[in-house]
Amino acid sequence: MTSSQVDKQYDGSEAVNGDAPEEGYERGLGSRQVQMIAIGGAIGVGLFLGAGANIAKAGPSLILMYALAGAIVFFIMRALGELLLYRPVSGSFAEYSREFLGPFFGYFTGWTYWLMWVVTGMAELTAAAIYVHYWFPDVPQWVTALVFLVVLFVANLISVKLFGEIEFWFSMVKVTALIGMIVIGLGVLTFGFSSAGDTAAVSNLWAFDGFFPKGIGSSLMTLQGVMFAYLAVELVGVTAGESEDPEKTLPKAINTLPWRIALFYVGALTVILCVVKWTEFAPGVSPFVAAFAKIGIPAGAGIVNFVVLTAALSSCNSGMYSTGRMLRNLAESGEAPKVFSKLSSTKTPAFGITISVLFMGIGVILNYVVPEKAFGYVMSIATAAGIWTWLMILISHVLYRRAVVAGRLPASSFPAPGGSVCSWIAIVFLLFVTGLIAYDADSRVCLYVMAGWAAALGVGWMVLKARNPQVTERREPELEKVG
């Protein structure tokens, strides 16, 4: 692929309504679907399952960690939002890295985001298998994981509309259930009904060894798990190339993020930790399932288990969607085999999805070999890959803002508040979390994996440069209209 061929995808003559580049996808994601994908992206297995282990480590102070990380995630999303309205493309963060930091960073970010979703898919499959184990303890985890993998794979091959519809209803289940949990929890606190009514109290947040029962250090160490819970909020950026009206739907989806975090993370955890004292939660058990079992609502724990199963499958579904699109973007930029750039008759990147699903199948093997450790392993690797992606979004935003101030690029119609100041704050925070990962012996292994991954990508880049030097040259996108 030549430089001029690559640039062609940004040519204004191929824009949709003059607003965004046409990439061959079906613009089949309506406003309600993009909104619910954005909402659902903020409610995943990291909250429903990972929160159990984090509560055991940090106690009630985990609420503060979710609030702090949530503020940082909002900074990241506003930075991404400004870039998306400057140039909405499905390659999103890889494209911006390519434009502002150079071709190598676009290549590295695209492949690393693909890795993040592949291992996240493994985590979600693992979680889904754990949830099914709740009802069918005799069924091996790997069997359940394999069945879910195949079913979601087939659904993703059919069309983006079906993906959007599945995500809409998955997210609707999660949102409705979380709101229901909060309402029931508040009812237990206010009226004292159920078997948890006698012990439910706001004072549970500090009555058992204080708000920081394990110390501030232990609370900070949960940030790596907390950040994993927020992975996928940036998925709304990947939908830009298939949204019917990105200039309206994307800002709305991003601006609703604060209340989603406040309600679904901070609110839900606060209510649960008031209803059930933190010492009763354990790693590997969803705190929501444990809370409903404690309250004693008939079939309540089973219902919640179904909801968290839905959350895991939703996230895995999103992973299949995003990996296929990212591989196609890499292929169109000459940074992956050309076969990944082809679309099926239903305008889905079927080959890219297929290869990604095969790699997600490693999660099935992990569930067979080390079922008790599978979730922790893939969670730490996904977090490290996600942090890289977020850093590239933030650094690209800082460089974009410099270009706007210097008059080299037009301003976006959706500027981040405070310019690049919040992006710098988020960059420092993410580097701090990386330091925590390096300090923790259990999660440090992911940095070794990422080092190996970086070395492999480095070799791939050198091969790419030797075969087709034009692909590795910096190029400027041609745009008819931005913002």
Side-chain angles (χ1 to χ4, degrees):
M1 182 179 287
T2 65
S3 179
S4 61
Q5 285 174 317
V6 173
D7 282 341
K8 188 178 180 183
Q9 65 181 304
Y10 306 127
D11 193 331
S13 65
E14 297 189 4
V16 177
N17 299 327
D19 294 333
E22 177 57 74
E23 300 171 283
Y25 292 121
E26 176 186 10
R27 288 190 174 267
L29 296 177
S31 177
R32 71 179 177 87
Q33 292 170 323
V34 173
Q35 292 295 320
M36 201 55 79
I37 286 171
I39 292 173
I43 309 170
V45 70
L47 171 64
F48 285 123
L49 182 60
N54 287 326
I55 289 172
K57 291 178 183 176
S61 64
L62 183 64
I63 297 167
L64 182 60
M65 297 301 106
Y66 270 103
L68 174 61
I72 298 300
V73 167
F74 180 62
F75 293 163
I76 295 168
M77 289 303 295
R78 282 306 302 258
L80 176 59
E82 183 165 358
L83 291 169
L84 284 171
L85 269 293
Y86 151 66
R87 185 158 69 92
V89 286
S90 67
S92 194
F93 356 100
E95 274 299 310
Y96 305 133
S97 300
R98 193 173 289 122
E99 178 179 352
F100 296 107
L101 288 103
F104 175 76
F105 287 92
Y107 158 84
F108 195 99
T109 300
W111 277 109
T112 301
Y113 192 66
W114 174 83
L115 174 70
M116 186 199 89
W117 268 114
V118 165
V119 295
T120 298
M122 294 180 195
E124 307 299 1
L125 287 171
T126 301
I130 290 172
Y131 296 142
V132 171
H133 195 71
Y134 175 85
W135 291 301
F136 306 103
D138 295 330
V139 177
Q141 279 186 208
W142 71 268
V143 173
T144 309
L146 180 61
V147 170
F148 287 140
L149 184 71
V150 172
V151 171
L152 292 177
F153 168 59
V154 172
N156 265 271
L157 292 183
I158 296 176
S159 74
V160 69
K161 285 186 177 180
L162 178 60
F163 160 78
E165 206 59 34
I166 289 173
E167 276 306 291
F168 177 84
W169 290 107
F170 271 165
S171 296
M172 184 67 78
V173 169
K174 292 188 286 186
V175 170
T176 303
L178 271 178
I179 292 174
M181 292 178 199
I182 292 171
V183 170
I184 292 172
L186 289 175
V188 172
L189 282 170
T190 305
F191 303 107
F193 63 80
S194 87
S195 58
D198 294 336
T199 56
V202 176
S203 61
N204 283 339
L205 295 178
W206 60 83
F208 302 92
D209 298 323
F211 190 69
F212 293 91
K214 300 289 184 74
I216 295 178
S218 293
S219 298
L220 291 175
M221 290 304 294
T222 64
L223 282 174
Q224 50 186 302
V226 169
M227 295 309 290
F228 173 79
Y230 285 122
L231 292 183
V233 293
E234 75 291 325
L235 179 65
V236 68
V238 183
T239 68
E242 292 169 276
S243 301
E244 290 176 353
D245 191 356
E247 288 200 7
K248 290 183 179 179
T249 57
L250 296 180
K252 186 177 179 182
I254 290 169
N255 278 334
T256 57
L257 187 63
W259 73 259
R260 283 185 269 133
I261 289 172
L263 178 64
F264 299 132
Y265 280 92
V266 179
L269 282 175
T270 299
V271 170
I272 280 181
L273 289 171
C274 287
V275 172
V276 183
K277 59 184 180 181
W278 72 270
T279 53
E280 296 187 24
F281 295 106
V285 179
S286 169
F288 296 90
V289 173
F292 268 66
K294 175 73 174 177
I295 291 172
I297 295 175
I303 293 171
V304 177
N305 202 64
F306 170 74
V307 173
V308 293
L309 171 62
T310 302
L313 296 179
S314 169
S315 189
C316 188
N317 188 40
S318 296
M320 292 182 187
Y321 168 86
S322 57
T323 49
R325 272 70 183 172
M326 195 56 72
L327 284 179
R328 183 171 187 248
N329 175 262
L330 287 163
E332 290 193 330
S333 299
E335 296 162 358
K338 288 184 179 180
V339 67
F340 288 125
S341 66
K342 295 180 181 179
L343 292 177
S344 68
S345 59
T346 55
K347 295 187 177 182
T348 61
F351 189 74
I353 294 172
T354 302
I355 295 299
S356 301
V357 167
L358 289 176
F359 276 94
M360 286 182 190
I362 295 172
V364 177
I365 298 173
L366 283 175
N367 275 283
Y368 179 76
V369 179
V370 283
E372 72 283 353
K373 295 182 178 179
F375 183 76
Y377 284 157
V378 294
M379 183 185 77
S380 61
I381 295 171
T383 303
I387 286 174
W388 172 270
T389 301
W390 288 340
L391 282 171
M392 289 302 99
I393 291 171
L394 294 165
I395 295 171
S396 296
H397 178 251
V398 169
L399 295 175
Y400 166 70
R401 291 293 305 175
R402 286 181 184 175
V404 170
V405 172
R408 296 192 302 273
L409 288 175
S412 169
S413 61
F414 187 49
S420 58
V421 174
C422 291
S423 289
W424 277 115
I425 294 172
I427 288 170
V428 172
F429 180 86
L430 292 179
L431 292 176
F432 173 70
V433 173
T434 304
L436 293 177
I437 293 174
Y439 179 77
D440 184 10
D442 290 335
S443 59
R444 192 184 303 148
V445 64
C446 76
L447 298 182
Y448 301 142
V449 173
M450 290 303 295
W453 174 252
L457 288 182
V459 171
W461 183 254
M462 287 188 288
V463 172
L464 193 64
K465 194 169 186 178
R467 288 184 175 181
N468 192 353
Q470 288 179 310
V471 170
T472 62
E473 294 173 358
R474 182 183 286 271
R475 54 188 179 268
E476 298 298 327
E478 298 173 16
L479 293 168
E480 180 179 277
K481 179 182 176 181
V482 292

